[in-house]
Amino acid sequence: GQPVQVVYDAVRLPVEWPAGGPPEALVRAERVAGFDPERPPLVRVAVLRSAPDEHVVVVTVHHAVLDGRSLPILLQEVFAEHRAALAGRPIEHPGRPAYRDFAAWWSGVDQTAAREYWTGALRDLSGPTQLPLAEPGDGDDSSGDIAVELSVGTTDALRKLAADTGGTLNTVVHAAWALVLGTFSGRSDVVFGVVRSCRRDSVPGADDMVGMLTTT
């Protein structure tokens, strides 16, 4: 009844060389294809020749395998190997902390105590605070995207606000979202969930690990 992660000693990474076509079509097809969680690995690579001297490499990864911070770490290694191959020299990867160390630490966290704490802290709240928008399925779109470009002056002011209050830009954004929820819902207490990295204060070397190290 509970999902588990199985770590294999070795798996073969599938690499496909599809026929020509626009890279955008390949990306869409890869997204639609999805993954079967019971068939490892949850990673695929497709190499498309888009021009005589140009290739597009599409790497599709299930989110259960990697978090956002892991992706640039992985790409840096790929680019380093590519540069080494072009130069005809071998590459030695620096030792990277093992994800198993984080998994072992996480399995020892007292989940019961954490659940009891938050159950008490949120006892007076009936659920997440919602914006008074149209419900999905009633003929109106209940979500959308709005792009806002901030000036350099506004960005600097936000950075200063974050620094002066001992937080981060991410904290400022969350505070702004809380004000929006409170204003439009008419509530003085609001609650919403966020996905965040839980690398800090876990195990040594967690910042350099590749894997899924997030919590909600």
Side-chain angles (χ1 to χ4, degrees):
Q2 293 292 330
V4 296
Q5 184 180 60
V6 179
V7 181
Y8 290 80
D9 291 332
V11 293
R12 184 176 180 84
L13 178 64
V15 179
E16 300 179 356
W17 295 78
E24 295 80 8
L26 175 60
V27 171
R28 286 194 297 269
E30 283 294 297
R31 287 178 174 173
V32 171
F35 288 98
D36 178 356
E38 295 185 359
R39 297 181 60 185
L42 302 184
V43 182
R44 289 192 304 271
V45 177
V47 183
L48 178 68
R49 186 172 185 176
S50 56
D53 60 347
E54 183 177 277
H55 291 77
V56 176
V57 180
V58 178
V59 181
T60 309
V61 185
H62 195 294
H63 199 3
V65 177
L66 297 177
D67 60 14
R69 184 180 177 89
S70 296
L71 193 57
I73 298 175
L74 182 63
L75 289 178
Q76 287 171 8
E77 291 191 4
V78 172
F79 295 148
E81 287 220 13
H82 186 249
R83 288 192 294 268
L86 291 177
R89 57 177 173 78
I91 181 173
E92 293 184 5
H93 289 293
R96 189 172 60 225
Y99 177 69
R100 70 174 67 237
D101 295 339
F102 176 85
W105 170 82
W106 180 252
S107 65
V109 173
D110 189 348
Q111 302 289 343
T112 301
R115 187 175 296 108
E116 289 177 351
Y117 170 82
W118 287 108
T119 299
L122 304 176
R123 181 178 294 111
D124 296 332
L125 297 167
S126 59
T129 308
Q130 303 287 352
L131 289 175
L133 300 176
E135 293 296 328
D138 66 357
D140 294 323
D141 291 334
S142 60
S143 63
D145 296 328
I146 298 176
V148 178
E149 186 171 333
L150 302 180
S151 67
V152 173
T154 300
T155 302
D156 289 342
L158 289 172
R159 293 185 188 278
K160 185 177 185 303
L161 174 62
D164 290 346
T165 55
T168 64
L169 275 177
N170 193 43
T171 308
V172 174
V173 171
H174 288 162
W177 179 239
L179 291 173
V180 170
L181 287 176
T183 299
F184 283 92
S185 68
R187 297 182 180 180
S188 57
D189 289 329
V190 300
V191 61
F192 59 93
V194 296
V195 178
R196 62 177 296 272
S197 169
C198 54
R199 296 169 182 259
R200 184 177 298 179
D201 299 326
S202 58
V203 294
D207 281 349
D208 300 319
M209 288 182 180
V210 169
M212 174 55 83
L213 297 89
T214 63
T215 186
T216 303

